[in-house]
Amino acid sequence: MDNNRDSVPAYDVIVIGAGLTGLLSIYHLRDKGFTVQAFDDASGVGGTWYWNRYPGCRFDSESYTYGYFFSEELLQEWDWKEHYSGQPENERYFNYVADKFDLRQHIRFNSHVESLRFNEDTQDWTVSIEDGYQARGRFVITAVGILSANYVPNFEGIHDFKGPWCHTGKWPKEGMDLKGKRVGVIGTGASGVQLITEIAKEVGHLTVFQRTANFCAPLRNRPITDEEQKEIKANFPEILEKCMATAGSFMHKFDPRSAMEVSQEERHAQYESLWQESGFKKWLGNFYDVMLPGEANEDYAEFFRNKIRERVHDPVVAEMLVPKDHMFGSKRLPCESGYYEVFNQGNVLLVDVKNAPIEKITKTGVKTTESEYELDVIIYATGFDAITGSLLGIDIYGKNGESLKNKYKDGPKSFMGIMSAGYPNLWTVNAASVGNFPRAAEPLVGWVIEAIEYMRTHNYATIEPSVDSEQEWGEHVKSEGAKILRSQAASWFVGANIPGKAVGLLTAPDSAPVMRAKREEIAKNNYQGFILK
Ligand code: N01
């Protein structure tokens, strides 16, 4: 509690997080004349790109579609070196942005936010940091990341293991010494796939514990040539336009034809030609109906399965790597740079932990229901408590002291993923978007700041959604969410990866252009669906 409130520094806006969305928020808020204070757990900027330092970590959005577009000067002076840039360069980029725009002065680092409490008398929020520091803000933007609450399964004996271990999302800054070691990796999602491919080059022996085989596609990364660099820099408006026109804000546009309308020959020729392309084009640039449950989806899935079979020499191992229990595209497609070939190495073992689950972690390794594996290092590539994990990691108390954890116990309750009834002026921006994240974050943050400006202009102290609009949104997410492919697998998209978490789509079911249009309509109608006082 803030017993001595007058001595607590007060700001117009508190921003939690100094990653992509946090930096963006600070820049625009300051630009509009608001006072702003940000807090971050980390000792530096970058969020995801600060924490995920594991070997192999990189974009699978095209680098030049990922950076900020708000400054033409920044676009022109920053050179992405690779089409799919790696973590070290990505972290450098965010540092460059923070320095260029002098953003660090507004950030308190090494500051773990413990709680947020709404003060009904002063109609503002008190933020409390673990070390006892406090600040107040009229508004709060929780730019805490959608994939930032690391999930490590609660395996029996996890702390008994004698060797080093870590989660991919909290890779030590000083690195991990894996050379020549017996390393075990648990998890084969996008992080595991990138990590496994990279560390297989240096470890002594690698044991991969796989519960679910994934559809993975070649990334085909390469350096950006000088010629390409010039072309990219001359074409940023077109690049942006392309991204903003698509459902997930990526550059790739679906083929409007149905896969099943064309001949099998033509269909397969298209699959093959997309296979040779880089990045997500294979996922998001194909016939539109490969992303709908049904015949086209299964046809493309089989094409992927055969690609895996071609690349893995041992047919038994190949079948273990072939996904058979979920639809293509229902989980996020990991991009890879030689993942399947890793399993042709003599020093790599694939262990199926679906049929024989991990029973416990021992002093010396991993014990499944079938066997024991001796290891020097264990790496948990076991994912994140997505979307709500980091938000609910903060004790948030709204009107009448009601805890957000309690409100969210059966799943998130918000209007448009950006604010919850009973929590005035608390913008939970990260719940609203997936896809090529920066392209979704820029317009969203812009919209939030416009709303804050609107309130300043019209002298309102608080904004919060009505209970009705929150309920309607919840019903929309449920009914429309059930229809989309992302809801059809047991993944982080629906919270199914976290034991005990309520299962349901955690983000908007609408495309990015639809979400932008909905928000514009709300703003045009004086923030319809919200109560302003
Ligand atoms: O996490 P995941 P991730 N026993 O949840 C397994 C983004 N990202 O960190 O599939 C055994 O996808 C789990 O098994 P299963 C991207 O959006 C982007 O890899 O649940 N295994 C799965 O294999 C991505 O989607 C990039 O059966 C257990 C794995 O752990 C998101 O982050 C790079 C287990 C977790 O996979 C998350 O990816 C990396 C258990 N008890 C990540 N519990 C870019 O390229 C979990 N698993 C930008």
Side-chain angles (χ1 to χ4, degrees):
M1 291 289 283
D2 48 338
N3 297 326
N4 192 3
R5 204 182 279 169
D6 289 344
S7 65
V8 173
Y11 301 88
D12 293 322
V13 189
I14 299 286
V15 174
I16 305 181
L20 183 150
T21 310
L23 292 179
L24 189 65
S25 305
I26 299 167
Y27 172 84
H28 286 297
L29 285 163
R30 189 185 59 188
D31 191 47
K32 301 285 182 198
F34 294 107
T35 56
V36 53
Q37 175 65 53
F39 297 96
D40 199 297
D41 261 350
S43 64
V45 296
T48 284
W49 304 107
Y50 173 94
W51 294 108
N52 287 266
R53 302 172 177 272
Y54 62 84
C57 180
R58 61 175 64 251
F59 291 152
D60 39 27
S61 308
E62 288 68 27
S63 309
Y64 44 88
T65 71
Y66 190 95
Y68 295 118
F69 274 67
F70 66 78
S71 158
E72 179 61 21
E73 203 176 280
L74 173 66
L75 283 168
Q76 292 304 326
E77 67 193 21
W78 179 264
D79 287 344
W80 291 107
K81 296 192 176 49
E82 295 174 277
H83 282 267
Y84 304 90
S85 171
Q87 181 275 334
E89 193 188 352
N90 306 346
E91 192 188 8
R92 270 196 297 280
Y93 173 76
F94 287 105
N95 276 287
Y96 182 83
V97 170
D99 291 333
K100 177 176 171 67
F101 298 108
D102 199 12
L103 303 179
R104 281 179 215 279
Q105 55 168 315
H106 304 288
I107 308 166
R108 191 177 190 265
F109 292 106
N110 302 305
S111 294
H112 177 71
V113 175
E114 253 182 6
S115 70
L116 280 169
R117 195 176 282 276
F118 185 66
N119 310 305
E120 304 212 27
D121 48 353
T122 46
Q123 306 210 302
D124 63 0
W125 287 87
T126 299
V127 55
S128 300
I129 309 301
E130 200 175 42
D131 62 10
Y133 185 82
Q134 289 190 320
R136 286 166 55 198
R138 167 79 55 206
F139 299 92
V140 178
I141 296 179
T142 58
V144 291
I146 63 167
L147 293 156
S148 51
N150 302 335
Y151 167 63
V152 178
N154 188 18
F155 291 127
E156 185 190 329
I158 198 161
H159 296 284
D160 295 343
F161 183 63
K162 292 284 183 230
W165 60 276
C166 75
H167 183 276
T168 46
K170 205 171 182 188
W171 196 264
K173 256 189 169 171
E174 62 285 6
M176 299 271 280
D177 179 16
L178 305 177
K179 204 166 180 344
K181 301 266 166 68
R182 294 170 306 173
V183 179
V185 177
I186 304 174
T188 54
S191 304
V193 164
Q194 289 184 330
L195 170 91
I196 288 162
T197 312
E198 198 57 31
I199 66 172
K201 296 170 189 163
E202 62 160 339
V203 299
H205 188 274
L206 182 62
T207 309
V208 175
F209 298 92
Q210 172 192 271
R211 192 167 63 181
T212 308
N214 260 319
F215 292 97
C216 307
L219 179 64
R220 304 197 195 286
N221 183 34
R222 58 185 175 79
I224 293 176
T225 64
D226 292 346
E227 266 316 293
E228 286 170 336
Q229 194 73 263
K230 275 190 210 127
E231 205 185 313
I232 290 166
K233 297 219 170 165
N235 284 299
F236 275 123
E238 290 78 8
I239 292 171
L240 182 61
E241 203 182 308
K242 274 189 190 169
C243 291
M244 299 320 266
T246 66
S249 314
F250 290 100
M251 273 175 74
H252 317 295
K253 208 167 131 195
F254 285 110
D255 182 335
R257 295 173 303 161
S258 157
M260 307 322 279
E261 267 169 18
V262 302
S263 69
Q264 192 192 37
E265 204 183 8
E266 189 177 350
R267 186 160 69 237
H268 281 242
Q270 171 142 322
Y271 294 171
E272 277 296 346
S273 99
L274 283 173
W275 187 257
Q276 300 310 323
E277 301 259 5
S278 60
F280 281 157
K281 199 157 179 192
K282 303 163 204 69
W283 187 20
L284 306 172
N286 206 343
F287 299 105
Y288 77 92
D289 52 351
V290 302
M291 284 299 284
L292 300 174
E295 203 183 352
N297 178 278
E298 175 51 26
D299 189 64
Y300 197 43
E302 194 52 23
F303 171 83
F304 259 71
R305 294 186 191 113
N306 287 332
K307 286 289 178 197
I308 299 169
R309 291 177 180 122
E310 280 168 21
R311 292 170 65 184
V312 181
H313 299 162
D314 181 331
V316 176
V317 178
E319 281 317 304
M320 287 167 76
L321 289 164
V322 166
K324 296 177 186 114
D325 60 359
H326 62 278
M327 283 180 273
F328 172 83
S330 60
K331 288 188 168 199
R332 154 73 147 70
L333 183 81
C335 286
E336 48 86 25
S337 308
Y339 176 64
Y340 292 108
E341 285 71 16
V342 163
F343 297 93
N344 297 331
Q345 289 181 208
N347 63 342
V348 177
L349 176 69
L350 181 64
V351 175
D352 172 2
V353 292
K354 181 158 267 165
N355 289 322
I358 295 174
E359 209 172 67
K360 64 191 286 203
I361 306 296
T362 67
K363 280 183 190 160
T364 54
V366 171
K367 184 175 185 308
T368 69
T369 52
E370 247 172 24
S371 203
E372 244 184 287
Y373 302 87
E374 298 263 312
L375 302 166
D376 302 314
V377 181
I378 299 178
I379 301 167
Y380 294 91
T382 40
F384 302 89
D385 183 355
I387 318 280
T388 52
S390 289
L391 186 65
L392 300 183
I394 303 169
D395 289 325
I396 301 177
Y397 303 99
K399 281 170 32 185
N400 305 317
E402 209 209 313
S403 123
L404 193 69
K405 267 191 200 111
N406 192 39
K407 178 165 175 134
Y408 275 31
K409 65 181 185 309
D410 300 320
K413 285 200 180 76
S414 78
F415 181 38
M416 307 275 292
I418 45 182
M419 197 178 266
S420 293
Y423 299 80
N425 299 357
L426 178 73
W427 304 100
T428 54
V429 288
N430 287 91
S433 49
V434 284
N436 191 13
F437 199 71
R439 298 287 65 79
E442 275 194 338
L444 176 55
V445 165
W447 186 89
V448 165
I449 294 174
E450 262 175 41
I452 297 177
E453 280 188 283
Y454 178 92
M455 293 179 64
R456 176 169 65 184
T457 309
H458 295 85
N459 256 322
Y460 289 116
T462 61
I463 177 169
E464 68 174 299
S466 68
V467 172
D468 284 352
S469 53
E470 185 175 274
Q471 258 167 13
E472 269 167 40
W473 178 252
E475 280 153 25
H476 170 69
V477 173
K478 210 166 166 188
S479 61
E480 291 308 301
K483 298 177 193 161
I484 62 174
L485 208 49
R486 285 213 295 283
S487 296
Q488 314 292 323
S491 79
W492 64 262
F493 286 137
V494 292
N497 62 328
I498 303 298
K501 187 165 176 170
V503 175
L505 187 66
L506 289 165
T507 55
D510 310 271
S511 70
V514 168
M515 283 300 279
R516 289 199 305 275
K518 283 187 178 180
R519 287 196 302 262
E520 271 162 34
E521 193 61 23
I522 287 171
K524 211 171 77 192
N525 292 318
N526 301 318
Y527 296 91
Q528 191 176 20
F530 288 91
I531 302 162
L532 286 85
K533 282 187 185 160

